[in-house]
Amino acid sequence: MIAGDLYLIMLLLFSTGILSAFFTRRNVKYTNYIAHSIALMGCAMAILCAIFVFVQGEFKFTLPVLLPFGEMIIKVDGLSAFFLFVVGVVGVATSLYAYGYSREYEECRLPLMAGLYNAFLLSIVLVLTVQHVAAFIIAWELMSIVSFFLVNHEYEKKVNTRSAYIYILMTHIGTVFIITAFLLLAVAAGSMNFEHLSGNSVNAFMKNIVFICVLIGFGTKAGMVPLHIWLPRAHPAAPSHVSALMSGAMLKTAIYGMCRFFLDFLGIGPVWWGVVILVIASITAVLGVLYAFIEHDMKRLLAYSSVENIGIILLGMGAGMVFISSYEPVLAGLAFTAALYHVVNHALFKSLAFMGAGAVLQSAHTKNMEQLGGLIKRMPYTAGFFLVAAVAISALPPLNGFVSEWLTFQALLCLPLALTGIIGKVGSASLIALLGLTGALAAACFVQTFGITFLAKPRSKKAEEAVEAAPTMLIAMGLLAVLCILLGIWPQVMLLLLHKTLQTFSSLDVTMLGNQVWYQIPLAQRGAGEGISTALIGLILAGGGLLAYVLYRNWEREKISGSETWTCGIVPNPRMEYTATGFSKSIRLVFKNIVHSYDETLVNRSSSQYYGRELSYQVRIQYVFVSLVYRPINEGIIKTATFMKNIQTGSVQLYVGYIMFVTVVVLIWSTRW
C-alpha cells in the first residue's frame, strides 16, 4: 500500500499548499517559497506513486469523504499512473520555475496565484484518479474553474479577460458533451462506478452517440480543430509557468479521457471511428503548424504548436482505433505506443518552450518577436534550452520528438493493411504526406522563432537591456532539456513504461512488439538488423561538438577579432535583419487559400513631405473557422438576445397575453389539428 500512502501524502501536500498561500499572504516572499515548495513536493510524490504502481501494480481505496453521490473511489491503474507520472514531471519543473518567475507578481496578487496553482495541480490529479462519474465531473469542473481564474489573473488587461471568458465558454460546451457521454453509459450500466461502465452494455447506435460526444467533449479541452479557438487565447494570457502546466499537463487530461473511453469503456468499435479521428487529426496538425508559422507573439505561436502536436497524438490514436476495429492488436499497440510517447514528449518540450518564452517575456518585457533579437548574448542559457525545445518540437534526431513521430510514421505506414480499397490506400498515403509536411513546417517555424528571437542584433531597447533568467528558472529549464535529450537517446525506458501501461487492455498486444523488425528500426536494438541507433547519433554529435570546442580553444581563438559584419561599407543595423513577417511570407503565399492572410501598409501622413513618408507593414489573418463558424453563431445569439430583449417590455398584461397565446397553441397542437 506504499503507492496509496504516497497518493494520500500528495493530496495532503496540495491541500496544504492552498492553505499556506492564505496564511502567509502578508509576506509574499514566504508565500512564493512555501507554496511552490509544497507544490514541488506534491508533484514528486505523484512521480513516486506512479513508479510504485508500475512496479507493484494498481491500487484502489475509498476516501473517507461523505459526498451526495456516495463514496469517493480512488483507483490508480496503469493508464492513470502513466498520466500521473507525466503531470508529476511537468509539475516539478514548473514549481521550481515558479520560484523565480513569480517574483514578477509580488505586487500582483501572488498569494492568490500560488494558492490557485496548488488547487490546479490537485484538480488535475483527481481527474486522473477518481473512479466515479460524479466525482470525475466535479474534479473536471474544478480544474476548469481554477484554470479560468489563473488565465484571468491579470484581469486589468481586457484582452486577458476576454480570453478567459472564451476559454470557460468553450470548456463548458465540451463539459456538456462529456456529461452526456457519461450519463448514457451510466444509465445503460445502472451504475456510475467506472468499473461497471466497461463492456458492451449499450447498443451500437448508442455507442456511436457516446463516441461523438467523447470526441467533441474531450477534443474541446485538447484543442482539436475546429474547437481549438480558446487555446491560442488562453495560453498567452496566463502566467508562463501556468501556461507550461496547461500545455504540458492539462491538455493531457483530455487525451486520458479519450483513452479511458476508447480503450476501456466502449471496446471495439467500427472502423469509421478511427477514420474520423485520423481526418480531424491531420487537419489539426497542418492548420496548427501553419498558424504557428505566421504568428509573431511567442506564446501564441507555442499555443498553435500545441494544437499541431495534439493533431500528431490523435493521428496515433486514430490509427490505433482503425487497427483495433480490424483486429490487428499488435499494430494497434504500436499506434497507441506512438501516441502516448508523443504525449510525454509534448509535455516535456512544450513546457520547456513556454518556460523559455516566459524568461524572455520577464527579461525583455515583450512577447513580440519583431521587437526581440540578439538575446543569445544576453541570455545564453535560456537560448540554449529553447534551442533544445525547438529541435525536439521539430522532431529532429537525436531528441525525443523524433522517436515518437517516427513511431507514428511506422503506424501510418501500416494503415493500408487495415484500410482496404483504393480510397483507403490513397488516404493512408495522404496522411503520411501530411505528417511529413507538418514536420517540415514545424522545423521551418522554429528556425524562424529561434533565429528572430535570439540571433542577430536587438531590435528594441527592451531586448538590448535583457538579462539572464533567475537560477531556479534555469535549473527547471535544464531539467526538462536533459529529459528531452535522454528520451531521444534512450527511449527504451519510456517504452517499457508504455508497454506496462497498455498491456492491460485486451484490444492491444504490446508483448509482440519487441519481435517486430519494423518496430525496432527506429531504436536499432541489439539484433534488430540494419539501422543506426539514436544513442549513436547523439554520441557522434556530442563527439563532434567536443572536437570543435577543443580545436577552437587551442588553435583558433587567437585569430578571432570582433567587428561589425561587412555590408559594403554600411554599418549594419536591426532594420536590415530578416523579420518574422518576411520569413513567413513565402509560406503565407503558398497557403494563402488556407490561412487567408492579407497585408496592410500603413502610411503616416503626419510626417514631413521633405523626408518621405513613414510606412509600417502589417499582416492580418482571417481565421477560417472563426469567420465561417463562430462569428455567425455569435451574431445569431446576439440577434436572438436582442429580439428577446424587445419582447420584454415589463408589462404584466403583455406577459399574460404571451401565456395565453402559448396555451392556445398547445391546446390546438394537442388536438392534432
Side-chain angles (χ1 to χ4, degrees):
M1 196 56 186
I2 294 176
D5 296 333
L6 291 171
Y7 181 86
L8 289 176
I9 294 172
M10 174 187 67
L11 295 187
L12 183 64
L13 284 169
F14 288 140
S15 303
T16 307
I18 298 169
L19 296 175
S20 70
F22 174 77
F23 288 116
T24 61
R25 67 186 185 281
R26 295 186 185 282
N27 190 325
V28 292
K29 292 187 186 300
Y30 288 161
T31 305
N32 185 13
Y33 284 105
I34 293 174
H36 291 128
S37 295
I38 293 173
L40 191 151
M41 288 188 286
C43 293
M45 289 299 116
I47 296 172
L48 289 175
C49 177
I51 291 173
F52 271 96
V53 170
F54 285 128
V55 174
Q56 298 180 342
E58 65 183 38
F59 70 88
K60 174 184 171 184
F61 63 89
T62 304
L63 275 181
V65 179
L66 295 176
L67 296 173
F69 52 81
E71 298 174 332
M72 185 168 178
I73 303 169
I74 300 293
K75 179 181 175 184
V76 181
D77 57 6
L79 187 64
S80 297
F82 169 74
F83 282 92
L84 196 61
F85 181 80
V86 174
V87 171
V89 171
V90 174
V92 165
T94 53
S95 301
L96 191 58
Y97 181 89
Y99 287 131
Y101 187 77
S102 296
R103 292 174 191 164
E104 187 87 3
Y105 293 86
E106 287 183 352
E107 303 297 327
C108 184
R109 303 175 291 277
L110 175 60
L112 177 62
M113 185 175 73
L116 289 173
Y117 177 76
N118 276 276
F120 191 31
L121 285 166
L122 176 65
S123 62
I124 291 174
V125 298
L126 286 176
V127 165
L128 299 176
T129 53
V130 293
Q131 292 290 304
H132 193 280
V133 172
F136 181 91
I137 297 299
I138 291 172
W140 186 268
E141 275 296 281
L142 178 65
M143 180 178 72
S144 302
I145 292 170
V146 170
S147 53
F148 162 75
F149 284 116
L150 285 169
V151 170
N152 198 31
H153 184 72
E154 296 178 73
Y155 58 78
E156 295 85 356
K157 300 175 183 175
K158 287 185 179 179
V159 64
N160 287 3
T161 303
R162 179 175 173 78
S163 301
Y165 278 104
I166 290 176
Y167 164 59
I168 200 69
L169 173 65
M170 293 301 296
T171 294
H172 279 90
I173 290 173
T175 304
V176 170
F177 284 94
I178 293 171
I179 292 173
T180 306
F182 269 120
L183 289 182
L184 289 174
L185 285 184
V187 169
S191 171
M192 299 183 83
N193 192 325
F194 278 12
E195 288 184 348
H196 300 148
L197 300 185
S198 304
N200 299 311
S201 54
V202 293
N203 58 41
F205 175 76
M206 200 58 70
K207 269 190 177 183
N208 292 335
I209 300 295
V210 172
F211 166 77
I212 293 170
C213 289
V214 168
L215 191 60
I216 296 174
F218 288 112
T220 305
K221 179 67 84 178
M224 184 181 75
V225 171
L227 305 166
H228 66 288
I229 60 164
W230 66 270
L231 206 150
R233 290 175 169 83
H235 280 31
S240 292
H241 63 297
V242 176
S243 301
L245 192 60
M246 288 176 72
S247 184
M250 189 186 76
L251 297 186
K252 307 306 177 296
T253 60
I255 303 299
Y256 163 78
M258 289 187 188
C259 288
R260 184 64 74 188
F261 269 88
F262 297 156
L263 295 177
D264 199 358
F265 296 160
L266 292 179
I268 299 175
V271 176
W272 69 264
W273 287 6
V275 173
V276 167
I277 294 177
L278 284 171
V279 172
I280 294 175
S282 58
I283 295 171
T284 300
V286 173
L287 281 184
V289 74
L290 275 177
Y291 286 137
F293 205 152
I294 55 184
E295 271 295 337
H296 301 165
D297 184 309
M298 282 187 77
K299 292 182 74 174
R300 274 180 70 89
L301 182 151
L302 295 175
Y304 274 119
S305 174
S306 289
V307 174
E308 172 225 339
N309 281 279
I310 288 296
I312 295 172
I313 293 169
L314 291 179
L315 276 176
M317 292 180 65
M321 300 279 287
V322 170
F323 291 132
I324 289 174
S325 304
S326 305
Y327 296 97
E328 295 280 1
V330 177
L331 294 176
L334 168 67
F336 271 96
T337 299
L340 293 191
Y341 205 119
H342 205 71
V343 165
V344 183
N345 290 342
H346 179 248
L348 296 178
F349 58 60
K350 194 48 61 65
S351 300
L352 175 57
F354 268 114
M355 289 180 186
V360 170
L361 173 61
Q362 188 184 52
S363 186
H365 305 289
T366 180
K367 300 176 288 182
N368 187 351
M369 289 192 296
E370 304 289 29
Q371 298 179 11
L372 296 171
L375 294 183
I376 196 169
K377 294 178 181 175
R378 291 155 184 80
M379 306 175 72
Y381 295 107
T382 301
F385 295 139
F386 193 89
L387 181 61
V388 171
V391 174
I393 295 171
S394 305
L396 297 177
L399 297 192
N400 56 344
F402 168 74
V403 178
S404 54
E405 290 207 26
W406 180 241
L407 290 173
T408 308
F409 267 115
Q410 296 286 321
L412 295 180
L413 284 168
C414 296
L415 261 184
L417 297 174
L419 295 176
T420 56
I422 186 66
I423 296 178
K425 310 294 184 193
V426 173
S428 302
S430 302
L431 290 172
I432 295 167
L434 288 173
L435 183 57
L437 174 66
T438 302
L441 288 173
C445 173
F446 280 92
V447 165
Q448 167 196 264
T449 308
F450 185 81
I452 301 295
T453 305
F454 292 100
L455 302 183
K457 286 177 171 286
R459 295 178 178 81
S460 67
K461 190 72 175 174
K462 297 173 184 175
E464 215 172 291
E465 295 173 350
V467 294
E468 186 55 277
T472 53
M473 296 166 65
L474 294 177
I475 293 171
M477 287 189 279
L479 172 67
L480 293 182
V482 168
L483 289 175
C484 286
I485 295 169
L486 287 179
L487 287 185
I489 296 176
W490 289 287
Q492 286 82 357
V493 175
M494 182 51 62
L495 288 171
L496 182 63
L497 290 183
L498 288 171
H499 293 175
K500 283 184 172 295
T501 302
L502 297 173
Q503 68 184 3
T504 56
F505 298 107
S506 58
S507 54
L508 308 178
D509 183 358
V510 291
T511 58
M512 296 295 292
L513 289 176
N515 300 325
Q516 303 296 325
V517 175
W518 43 261
Y519 179 68
Q520 293 183 340
I521 286 175
L523 310 179
Q525 294 173 343
R526 184 172 296 175
E530 299 179 357
I532 182 169
S533 69
T534 49
L536 183 57
I537 295 173
L539 287 175
I540 291 172
L541 290 176
L546 182 62
L547 179 62
Y549 179 73
V550 170
L551 293 174
Y552 164 74
R553 294 288 297 179
N554 290 283
W555 284 284
E556 294 295 328
R557 190 177 182 188
E558 293 77 9
K559 298 178 183 177
I560 294 175
S561 59
S563 63
E564 291 287 359
T565 305
W566 186 78
T567 50
C568 300
I570 303 170
V571 177
N573 61 67
R575 291 176 60 83
M576 299 177 181
E577 297 169 7
Y578 238 122
T579 62
T581 305
F583 195 94
S584 63
K585 184 169 184 177
S586 57
I587 297 298
R588 282 187 279 113
L589 289 176
V590 171
F591 295 97
K592 61 183 179 183
N593 292 327
I594 298 177
V595 297
H596 296 281
S597 67
Y598 57 95
D599 304 335
E600 283 185 356
T601 303
L602 303 179
V603 181
N604 185 359
R605 298 183 184 280
S606 62
S607 58
S608 170
Q609 59 178 328
Y610 300 107
Y611 295 98
R613 297 172 299 174
E614 290 184 4
L615 303 178
S616 62
Y617 185 73
Q618 294 183 355
V619 176
R620 296 192 180 277
I621 306 298
Q622 187 177 10
Y623 295 97
V624 60
F625 289 107
V626 173
S627 58
L628 295 181
V629 179
Y630 292 101
R631 193 160 293 150
I633 292 174
N634 184 48
E635 290 172 356
I637 291 172
I638 290 174
K639 286 179 181 176
T640 305
T642 305
F643 171 76
M644 296 301 292
K645 183 180 177 181
N646 291 333
I647 66 174
Q648 292 181 11
T649 61
S651 169
V652 177
Q653 292 86 347
L654 190 59
Y655 292 154
V656 172
Y658 292 154
I659 294 171
M660 290 183 64
F661 175 75
V662 173
T663 305
V664 170
V665 171
V666 170
L667 287 173
I668 293 173
W669 177 78
S670 64
T671 57
R672 306 295 181 187
W673 278 14

